[in-house]
Amino acid sequence: MSSIELTASQRTILRALVNLHGEQESAVKGEAIAEEVGRNPGTIRNQMQSLKALQLVEGVPGPKGGYKPTTNAFDALDVQQLDEPASVPLVHEGEELSGVNVEEIRLTSVHNPDLCRAELHLRGSVKEFHEGDAVRAGPTPLSALVVEGTVDGKDTTANVVILQIESMEAPSGETGH
C-alpha cells in the first residue's frame, strides 16, 4: 500500500492519466484529462504541478508532449504495472469494450442472495457506465468465471463499477489453476 496521501481530486486525475496513458501509450495532454474527469484544463494543470512535486507525474515538453505517470503513480493507486495484463473481457450493453480491462472482481454480500454484488475494478474509464446498464465480465484467465448483472453504482475515484449480480458461472472440472 502506498504511503502517499492523495486528495480525491488528485486521485481521480491521476487515475484518468494512468488510464489514458495505458490506452494511447504516449504522453497525455491536459485537455484529454480535463475532458475525462469533467474539469477545467487550468485546474488539471494546477493539479499536475502538485502531482509532479510528489513525483507521481512527469511532464513531456513539445508538440507531442503532455504528462506521463511515473512508477510511483501506479504504486500510489495500487495498480499493478504489467507489460501484458491478462485480458478479462467486459461487455457493456451488449458490446465488448476495447481499452477497458477488468483488473479485479470482488464479491460482496454473497451470504445474502438478494444483495449479491460484485465490485469490478477496471483499467480504463468508468465514465460511460450508468445505473441499470447490463454488464458481463469474464471469463477470467484461471477460473473462467463470468459475472453478469446490472450496474448498481460506480466509484470514479477508484475506477470501480458495482454490479447487482444476476448470474455467475464458472465451469466445473479443469481450469487454469
Side-chain angles (χ1 to χ4, degrees):
M1 185 85 185
S2 170
S3 62
I4 298 175
E5 290 294 325
L6 297 173
T7 66
S9 179
Q10 287 172 324
R11 184 171 290 282
T12 299
I13 291 167
L14 190 58
R15 174 72 70 173
L17 172 63
V18 165
N19 290 339
L20 291 167
H21 183 262
E23 289 172 18
Q24 60 194 47
E25 297 182 9
S26 61
V28 179
K29 301 229 176 272
E31 292 79 11
I33 298 167
E35 184 177 321
E36 180 68 24
V37 300
R39 291 282 190 59
N40 180 304
T43 301
I44 300 303
R45 281 191 294 279
N46 291 339
Q47 288 288 351
M48 286 301 176
Q49 294 306 315
S50 66
L51 293 171
K52 276 188 201 177
L54 293 169
Q55 299 180 338
L56 299 174
V57 171
E58 63 182 47
V60 178
K64 295 190 182 221
Y67 303 99
K68 286 186 174 183
T70 66
T71 303
N72 294 341
F74 291 90
D75 293 342
L77 294 173
D78 287 329
V79 172
Q80 289 184 356
Q81 196 174 5
L82 303 171
D83 290 334
E84 275 303 313
S87 177
V88 178
L90 189 64
V91 176
H92 176 241
E93 291 292 302
E95 290 189 32
E96 187 166 340
L97 299 177
S98 61
V100 179
N101 194 10
V102 179
E103 288 184 332
E104 182 179 1
I105 299 173
R106 289 187 188 163
L107 301 175
T108 60
S109 306
V110 291
H111 64 280
N112 184 343
D114 295 332
L115 297 175
C116 196
R117 303 259 192 292
E119 292 180 358
L120 303 180
H121 295 253
L122 305 181
R123 172 81 55 100
S125 178
V126 299
K127 184 168 72 171
E128 299 304 319
F129 291 88
H130 304 287
E131 203 166 306
D133 290 357
V135 172
R136 184 180 80 234
T140 58
L142 294 178
S143 65
L145 174 68
V146 177
V147 176
E148 292 187 63
T150 55
V151 174
D152 199 34
K154 66 182 176 181
D155 180 346
T156 54
T157 303
N159 242 40
V160 173
V161 172
I162 301 167
L163 288 188
Q164 170 77 40
I165 297 175
E166 293 167 3
S167 79
M168 187 166 45
E169 296 178 23
S172 59
E174 292 295 314
T175 60
H177 284 25

